[in-house]
Amino acid sequence: MALITLRRNLCHLSDFRIQGALAALKNQPVNHVHKVVKEHLCPWFCSLQSEPFRVRFHHACCKKFHSENGNALHPVGEPVFSQIHDWDRLEQNLKNVDEQRFYRRLSNFTSSEEVLHFISTLQTLPDTMAAGALQRIYEVEKKDGDQRLPREILENSAFQALCIQFEQEPSNLSNTGLVTALQALTLLYVDPQSSLLLNLVAECHHRLQRGGLEVHSLCVLGESLIKLQGPGCATLELIICQLQGEKLEKFAPEDIVALYRILQACAEKVDRHQTFLNQINNFSLSVVSNLSPKSLSQMLTALVVLDQTQALPLVIKLGKYVVRHVPHFTNEELVKVLEAFIYFGHNDRFFTKALEQHVASLCLTLDPEVVSKVMEYCCRKQILSIPILNAVAETFVCQSEKFSPSQISELIEPFGKLNYLPPNASALFRKLENTLLTHFNYFPPKTLLKLLHSCSLIECHPVNFMSKIFSPYFLQQLQGNESCLDRLSLAQLTQLFLTSILECPFYKGPKLLPKYQVKSFLTPCCSLETPVDFQLYKSVMTGLIDLLGARLYFASKVLTPYRYTVDVEIKLDEEGFVLPFTVDEDVHKRVALCIDGPKRFCLNSKHLLGKEAMKQRHLRLLGYHVVQIPYYEIEMLKSRLELVEYLQRKLFSQNAGIHW
């Protein structure tokens, strides 16, 4: 392990080699020393401009210098904290300092000044710890959200001394110290063309070609080179090749996660690395239990980017451990977890329970992006989570101004899709209406249409906005630069128009022109109806044939003039007797059988989805006698005879008015 000497170093102005941060120039006045140093070393760093800052490290200035003849020390500048005057009193020999204690102290510092002050009190510093100090500087500066290092940090002599040591003596550094320093300086946005980074990269490349880097160093180097040179750099392929040659048992859990991040950056080459990825996916099953919340989130994100849909066992195990860490994820990490679960179609009742507790307890303080992503997850997985929906409804009523138009749409859409009205529904939709009236023009046309359609699903009809969305101006905006409107938008417009006729007879505004109306709501790619479950349909058909005596007495999958497709239609005459489906005359009433499979309900519930509830509501308003045949009632029947008796009760009950 190389030691960086911070105090006892020699310096000649004629051959200005600085190897420490805590020496003093004695024989010249302070102003003269500053002038000579500035002239000899100019420029040290890039000029401090308003644009994102990059540091150029060529040389470093020390706080104190020993003269060659060993004369007494004279201070030339004050330390970071002015109350510190006696450096000798604060000297420590790090040989006697426990490494863990050092890192514990580093982790307690909350500013770069504190880190550098602590470093400046040390006489010598192992290179790994010096690199660790640079990493801590990055961590505390990152919290401020600014990529630039402040001038006072750049001009701090301890910081400069650390950098000059790494620049001038990279061959003396340990592998860990070398790659860790490179990683920290890269994250600190040091100029890639500075002599500091060029020397470190050259030394890393030299050791890489010799095969002298262990697994952890290879992973750290790979990520640093991606940031410095991009994922296309040739050296990265050599790193991946060497990592493939290592036994995965040598990889620590954090190295496995780093390896995923490296491969994620090279996602376009995933086919080339798929065999290696399969090995990593299988091995990762054994390390999941040791991963931190951050690592769990990063691994899931990498699996998404790399499209590892075949790694579902790993996703399921990650999901199992995610449940334990839901309260500990940052907002960004939780969003990434939810995105991964949406992507892989993963859902877990324990995760839903943990998410409910988390959202309900923190709903008013959660980031809007988290709230909208939680709602998107519930919507996509059709999870009717009443605690989440109620908490989010309350959040929107109290803090609607926090949400962007797209987030508002993602927040409201699940209420319609899941067919749920929260207890504060009147306040929720009043707030939504006020938001739309105030910021109508800020909502993208498709986002606005989806939002209003979602409201209509739960009978919160957007009457005040129908005239706007049926207007030629809005339809032109909706179409944009496309040659025609997309199928889903046309279907939503058509269903809103049908709603205005059936459920809002008082609406007297513009009508939707026929050219914008679809002929069927049931289409393969963008359906507003759920196709009938085939196995359930076959069972019901068999029972109907037994009950009615022939296939002639009912029609299947009938497209009505009102765009809805009826699973089974039975025609009745004026006295309520069943007619053959081929007869069009003397039809007095039509019976619509809705054969509702699991996909027409919220997940693991008997609660109809919004679009199916609207369909049945509209069919009743159109004069159909709607008979619902839910899957959970059919599943309880044990024989064909029981099925026939069940259908007879459903169709020929006393109040049905149907005779056979």
Side-chain angles (χ1 to χ4, degrees):
M1 178 184 293
L3 289 179
I4 293 181
T5 303
L6 294 176
R7 298 200 61 179
R8 294 192 172 90
N9 295 291
L10 301 177
C11 173
H12 298 281
L13 287 179
S14 59
D15 181 18
F16 211 84
R17 295 187 58 206
I18 304 167
Q19 301 187 13
L22 307 175
L25 282 171
K26 172 183 177 183
N27 296 323
Q28 299 290 347
V30 172
N31 292 340
H32 177 74
V33 172
H34 285 179
K35 179 180 178 183
V36 173
V37 171
K38 183 175 181 180
E39 291 174 354
H40 195 85
L41 300 183
C42 182
W44 295 344
F45 306 105
C46 295
S47 58
L48 295 173
Q49 304 293 339
S50 59
E51 65 266 22
F53 193 82
R54 292 184 181 274
V55 187
R56 290 183 185 273
F57 289 98
H58 295 296
H59 298 278
C61 175
C62 300
K63 272 197 193 314
K64 297 182 179 182
F65 296 79
H66 285 284
S67 60
E68 186 178 9
N69 60 13
N71 289 335
L73 300 177
H74 294 273
V76 298
E78 292 296 321
V80 175
F81 296 96
S82 59
Q83 69 269 27
I84 306 300
H85 296 291
D86 188 359
W87 288 100
D88 290 332
R89 180 171 59 84
L90 294 173
E91 284 190 15
Q92 299 178 40
N93 190 331
L94 208 62
K95 292 179 181 178
N96 300 321
V97 176
D98 180 72
E99 185 174 339
Q100 291 184 355
R101 181 170 164 240
F102 173 83
Y103 285 114
R104 272 200 309 271
R105 289 198 64 181
L106 273 187
S107 64
N108 290 332
F109 296 139
T110 57
S111 70
S112 299
E113 288 82 359
E114 290 178 345
V115 175
L116 292 171
H117 169 59
F118 172 59
I119 295 302
S120 68
T121 65
L122 305 174
Q123 179 177 338
T124 56
L125 189 64
D127 58 352
T128 54
M129 296 188 186
L134 290 175
Q135 279 195 322
R136 185 57 187 164
I137 291 173
Y138 160 71
E139 290 169 1
V140 297
E141 291 297 329
K142 180 181 67 171
K143 293 176 182 177
D144 296 334
D146 195 347
Q147 296 178 352
R148 300 174 298 167
L149 279 176
R151 179 187 293 272
E152 56 267 23
I153 302 301
L154 298 174
E155 294 180 349
N156 184 284
S157 55
F159 179 76
Q160 295 175 355
L162 285 175
C163 293
I164 197 66
Q165 287 286 311
F166 285 121
E167 176 187 356
Q168 292 186 345
E169 302 176 359
S171 60
N172 294 333
L173 300 173
S174 65
N175 287 342
T176 302
L178 176 66
V179 298
T180 306
L182 177 64
Q183 180 186 50
L185 292 167
T186 301
L187 294 172
L188 285 169
Y189 286 88
V190 176
D191 185 357
Q193 298 306 313
S194 67
S195 56
L196 171 60
L197 278 190
L198 289 175
N199 289 352
L200 290 176
V201 170
E203 179 63 27
C204 288
H205 191 265
H206 176 65
R207 297 189 192 187
L208 180 65
Q209 288 183 318
R210 287 188 333 206
L213 296 178
E214 61 277 4
V215 165
H216 180 69
S217 297
L218 287 170
C219 292
V220 174
L221 177 59
E223 290 198 271
S224 299
L225 290 178
I226 288 170
K227 192 167 185 64
L228 276 175
Q229 303 174 2
C233 68
T235 308
L236 191 61
E237 278 299 316
L238 180 58
I239 292 172
I240 294 175
C241 183
Q242 289 194 15
L243 287 170
Q244 286 178 328
E246 299 285 350
K247 292 184 178 180
L248 290 175
E249 289 75 12
K250 292 183 179 180
F251 287 67
E254 60 269 21
D255 295 330
I256 291 291
V257 179
L259 184 52
Y260 270 115
R261 291 195 299 264
I262 291 171
L263 294 172
Q264 174 185 342
C266 310
E268 68 281 356
K269 302 176 184 177
V270 65
D271 292 338
R272 188 188 309 175
H273 302 134
Q274 189 57 59
T275 302
F276 186 37
L277 263 171
N278 291 339
Q279 297 173 3
I280 301 169
N281 293 339
N282 292 332
F283 177 77
S284 296
L285 289 166
S286 64
V287 304
V288 169
S289 59
N290 298 318
L291 296 181
S292 66
K294 181 178 181 180
S295 296
L296 288 168
S297 174
Q298 289 178 345
M299 187 178 285
L300 282 167
T301 300
L303 291 172
V304 170
V305 175
L306 295 167
D307 191 30
Q308 297 298 289
T309 52
Q310 76 283 358
L312 284 181
L314 178 57
V315 173
I316 292 170
K317 189 160 187 179
L318 286 166
K320 176 183 176 182
Y321 284 89
V322 159
V323 173
R324 308 179 184 185
H325 296 294
V326 168
H328 308 119
F329 286 116
T330 65
N331 287 332
E332 183 180 358
E333 289 164 0
L334 184 55
V335 167
K336 293 297 184 184
V337 167
L338 290 167
E339 287 176 345
F341 285 176
I342 292 170
Y343 182 84
F344 288 111
H346 176 74
N347 65 79
D348 182 301
R349 62 188 178 92
F350 298 108
F351 175 71
T352 301
K353 187 70 175 176
L355 202 59
E356 287 175 347
Q357 294 173 352
H358 183 63
V359 172
S361 61
L362 299 173
C363 61
L364 294 177
T365 58
L366 283 177
D367 185 79
E369 180 66 20
V370 175
V371 175
S372 59
K373 191 59 65 175
V374 168
M375 291 297 276
E376 182 187 353
Y377 172 74
C378 290
C379 187
R380 295 278 288 272
K381 302 309 300 175
Q382 299 182 2
I383 299 171
L384 180 62
S385 171
I386 293 177
I388 289 177
L389 293 172
N390 288 347
V392 170
E394 188 63 34
T395 300
F396 183 73
V397 170
C398 297
Q399 302 175 346
S400 60
E401 67 282 351
K402 288 173 47 177
F403 297 89
S404 68
S406 60
Q407 289 171 343
I408 291 174
S409 177
E410 290 171 352
L411 186 149
I412 297 297
E413 184 182 359
F415 290 100
K417 183 170 184 178
L418 302 174
N419 189 27
Y420 178 74
L421 281 173
N424 65 340
S426 58
L428 172 66
F429 289 99
R430 186 165 54 249
K431 176 66 75 172
L432 176 62
E433 183 175 14
N434 291 336
T435 302
L436 289 174
L437 289 170
T438 307
H439 302 98
F440 185 86
N441 293 329
Y442 292 96
F443 284 78
K446 288 188 179 180
T447 300
L448 181 64
L449 178 59
K450 181 172 67 172
L451 173 60
L452 298 178
H453 180 263
S454 298
C455 295
S456 184
L457 292 176
I458 43 177
E459 299 182 78
C460 296
H461 306 301
V463 180
N464 293 336
F465 301 98
M466 284 183 176
S467 60
K468 293 184 178 181
I469 63 173
F470 295 153
S471 69
Y473 174 73
F474 179 81
L475 295 172
Q476 186 179 9
Q477 283 188 314
L478 190 62
Q479 183 172 332
N481 296 324
E482 302 296 326
S483 58
C484 59
L485 279 172
D486 65 277
R487 181 80 181 180
L488 179 59
S489 296
L490 290 173
Q492 290 172 336
L493 284 167
T494 305
Q495 197 166 49
L496 277 170
F497 177 59
L498 187 59
T499 299
S500 71
I501 296 172
L502 296 176
E503 301 188 68
C504 309
F506 47 85
Y507 171 71
K508 303 301 180 185
K511 309 296 183 184
L512 184 66
L513 296 175
K515 68 176 182 178
Y516 293 111
Q517 299 179 28
V518 297
K519 290 182 169 55
S520 173
F521 291 136
L522 183 62
T523 52
C525 59
C526 46
S527 180
L528 297 186
E529 298 181 65
T530 307
V532 66
D533 181 279
F534 182 68
Q535 293 300 325
L536 187 62
Y537 168 74
K538 281 178 60 178
S539 298
V540 173
M541 260 190 47
T542 302
L544 284 174
I545 292 173
D546 290 346
L547 177 64
L548 300 178
R551 178 67 177 78
L552 179 67
Y553 291 104
F554 63 92
S556 301
K557 302 176 184 177
V558 179
L559 176 62
T560 70
Y562 312 103
R563 288 88 176 178
Y564 289 111
T565 299
V566 175
D567 299 329
V568 171
E569 183 185 76
I570 299 175
K571 297 176 181 178
L572 307 176
D573 63 13
E574 191 171 357
E575 296 180 0
F577 287 98
V578 177
L579 298 172
F581 75 85
T582 54
V583 174
D584 292 323
E585 298 177 355
D586 301 324
V587 177
H588 181 70
K589 194 172 187 178
R590 297 173 188 266
V591 178
L593 267 67
C594 294
I595 306 172
D596 295 329
K599 292 184 179 180
R600 292 184 179 180
F601 295 86
C602 297
L603 184 67
N604 299 326
S605 80
K606 300 177 181 179
H607 191 83
L608 269 180
L609 294 173
K611 61 182 179 181
E612 301 303 325
M614 174 182 260
K615 172 183 175 179
Q616 294 185 19
R617 190 169 69 242
H618 282 184
L619 288 175
R620 289 188 182 96
L621 291 170
L622 289 166
Y624 282 86
H625 175 70
V626 177
V627 176
Q628 186 183 11
I629 311 290
Y631 75 97
Y632 51 84
E633 292 182 358
I634 297 293
E635 287 178 347
M636 295 178 66
L637 306 176
K638 298 178 181 179
S639 67
R640 191 163 172 171
L641 178 60
E642 286 188 9
L643 174 61
V644 173
E645 292 174 347
Y646 167 81
L647 291 173
Q648 185 175 11
R649 289 195 303 272
K650 281 282 188 175
L651 289 171
F652 303 113
S653 61
Q654 291 182 354
N655 58 355
I658 307 174
H659 304 290
W660 175 56

